[in-house]
Amino acid sequence: MKYKEYGDRANLIAYSDEGRVFETIGTIKPNNAIDVDSLMVFLHTKEYMSIVSAYYEREIIVNDFDRFDVCKEMIRQIPFDELNILVLNAIKSRRLQVKSRRINNFFFSKEHNELNQISLALNLNQATGLDLLHVLSNSFVD
């Protein structure tokens, strides 16, 4: 996981829509636990089915009514490190599907993945996004 190398230098940054400013509001601590209930709400049906199939190395045959609950309990049994990799692979697969839909976003690259999420969430135009990139680039000088 690429963020482990940042260690104590990583911070939590908040955005104020009123003042249109970013500010550091604290440091982050690694969390090596996954809330499976939240994860299941986040994942699409095909994604959690593929996670279960990949880990247990077999197709899961279950009716549509029980699929969510059965997969949730099976995912709950997967060790954290393995589940983390499987979830990331599922999300990367989703990203490839989104990319094929030709989203026109100026930060859409591996290098600026987090900025892409911020720009989509805040509906930033290109000029505001580039201003944000400039401010963030100059804020982390050691």
Side-chain angles (χ1 to χ4, degrees), residues 94-110:
R94 181 190 300 180
R95 183 175 178 201
L96 292 175
Q97 293 170 0
V98 168
K99 198 171 190 176
S100 68
R101 287 187 282 182
R102 301 182 53 88
I103 290 177
N104 187 16
N105 189 341
F106 58 98
F107 279 134
F108 202 76
S109 70
K110 288 183 179 180

Side-chain angles (χ1 to χ4, degrees), residues 16-71:
S16 169
D17 197 29
E18 295 169 1
R20 294 194 174 263
V21 295
F22 286 88
E23 71 177 273
T24 302
I25 60 172
T27 58
I28 62 168
K29 296 176 185 164
N31 181 1
N32 291 332
I34 295 177
D35 180 4
V36 174
D37 295 321
S38 298
L39 177 65
M40 291 298 290
V41 172
F42 169 75
L43 292 172
H44 299 168
T45 304
K46 289 181 181 180
E47 292 167 343
Y48 63 73
M49 290 291 291
S50 72
I51 288 170
V52 169
S53 296
Y55 181 75
Y56 292 99
E57 297 180 342
R58 62 184 168 93
E59 285 295 316
I60 305 304
I61 300 172
V62 63
N63 67 50
D64 291 346
F65 297 106
D66 296 329
R67 178 184 301 149
F68 182 86
D69 293 328
V70 169
C71 287

